[in-house]
Amino acid sequence: MKLAIFGANGPTGRQATEQAIAEGHTVTAVTRRPESFPLSDPRLRVVGADVLDSGAVERTVAGQDAVISTLGVPYGRSPVTVYSGGMAHITRAMTEHGVRRLVCVSSTVLFETPAPGEGLFFRKVLEPFIVRFVGRTVYDDMRRMEEVVSESEHEWTVIRPAGLFDAHAVSDYRVSASRLPGRFTSRADLGNALLRQAVDGHHVRAFIDVRTTEGVPSFLDVIRKEAFSGKK
């Protein structure tokens, strides 16, 4: 398949790109900083483009079989438009060029239902604090992005992972259309889930959860390392 991956220079984007190349797919990796992209392969084309540049997005999407978005921005107080604005450009370009398959990342908190077995403190205090205060502008724009995606006529899937952490290899992770137990998703597993959805075409027009079930870190370790890093 010919795959365009937006946000390819982030940790999840690099996972999806590397795994796609290993499977023999042709990848167009889209990043604002192509000079720092660490991967190279005959099946890889690295494109320097901003997802908020509609012309650049349209040129990138032309000729692709599917589009994967791993866009991410750090928490902050400033309004965020990258998710929704970028997705508006992506879906418009897909329509223009007849590309049907779209897979993107948001967050498990957008299910707005408790995770099975989640403790009262996390459910009633910690998660609401992160969603409503620490990450409010990010999650607000993720919701707008999901509206753009769900209102489109494409064959879309939105993946809502839990807290992200780095792992060396893909595990036997879980996928479900409802919220799963557990707090974490490795980027290796998320990259693989994105690739599987794009290539295999499962869960069309659905929001799905992805959970890592083995080798997960402690909650405090992830908070210390990830919460304000801006990695996606």
Side-chain angles (χ1 to χ4, degrees), residues 39-231:
L39 305 176
S40 62
D41 191 272
R43 293 182 295 274
L44 173 66
R45 179 171 68 108
V46 182
V47 173
D50 190 325
V51 74
L52 297 180
D53 181 341
S54 60
V57 172
E58 184 174 338
R59 291 189 294 273
T60 301
V61 168
Q64 304 293 335
D65 296 317
V67 174
I68 295 173
S69 172
T70 65
L71 296 172
V73 297
Y75 292 154
R77 295 182 179 181
S78 300
V80 175
T81 61
V82 170
Y83 297 101
S84 59
M87 189 55 64
H89 291 161
I90 289 171
T91 54
R92 189 177 303 123
M94 291 177 65
T95 299
E96 178 70 21
H97 294 283
V99 181
R100 297 293 302 160
R101 190 66 174 123
L102 170 64
V103 186
C104 66
V105 178
S106 64
S107 171
T108 190
V109 301
L110 270 65
F111 279 112
E112 298 182 341
T113 56
E118 191 59 78
L120 184 64
F121 175 76
F122 187 89
R123 186 173 70 248
K124 295 294 187 180
V125 179
L126 189 55
E127 186 173 83
F129 175 75
I130 293 172
V131 173
R132 296 172 188 170
F133 298 100
V134 179
R136 181 180 59 81
T137 57
V138 168
Y139 294 121
D140 284 350
D141 200 42
M142 280 185 177
R143 290 186 181 91
R144 291 190 291 268
M145 178 191 71
E146 288 194 352
E147 290 178 3
V148 172
V149 172
S150 61
E151 290 173 1
S152 76
E153 296 181 354
H154 302 298
E155 296 172 359
W156 55 265
T157 303
V158 176
I159 297 182
R160 292 168 164 174
L164 297 174
F165 70 98
D166 293 322
H168 297 297
V170 177
S171 73
D172 186 20
Y173 60 88
R174 294 184 62 191
V175 175
S176 174
S178 58
R179 197 168 185 184
L180 291 166
R183 294 176 178 170
F184 304 114
T185 307
S186 81
R187 292 185 174 89
D189 291 346
L190 176 56
N192 189 260
L194 288 160
L195 182 58
R196 294 277 59 78
Q197 294 299 318
V199 173
D200 300 338
H202 300 314
H203 299 98
V204 174
R205 301 186 70 80
F207 302 93
I208 63 172
D209 200 352
V210 176
R211 278 291 190 281
T212 299
T213 60
E214 55 191 53
V216 297
S218 72
F219 179 71
L220 289 179
D221 284 343
V222 171
I223 289 295
R224 281 195 294 265
K225 185 176 180 181
E226 306 286 348
F228 299 97
S229 68
K231 295 197 294 184

Side-chain angles (χ1 to χ4, degrees), residues 19-43:
Q19 293 181 37
I21 292 170
E23 290 189 9
H25 302 290
T26 300
V27 178
T28 298
V30 188
T31 172
R32 291 182 298 166
R33 296 178 293 276
E35 70 282 354
S36 67
F37 196 72
L39 305 176
S40 62
D41 191 272
R43 293 182 295 274

Side-chain angles (χ1 to χ4, degrees), residues 5-15 17 28-31 37-39 70:
I5 301 179
F6 288 85
N9 209 12
T12 300
R14 291 196 294 270
Q15 283 282 352
T17 300
T28 298
V30 188
T31 172
F37 196 72
L39 305 176
T70 65

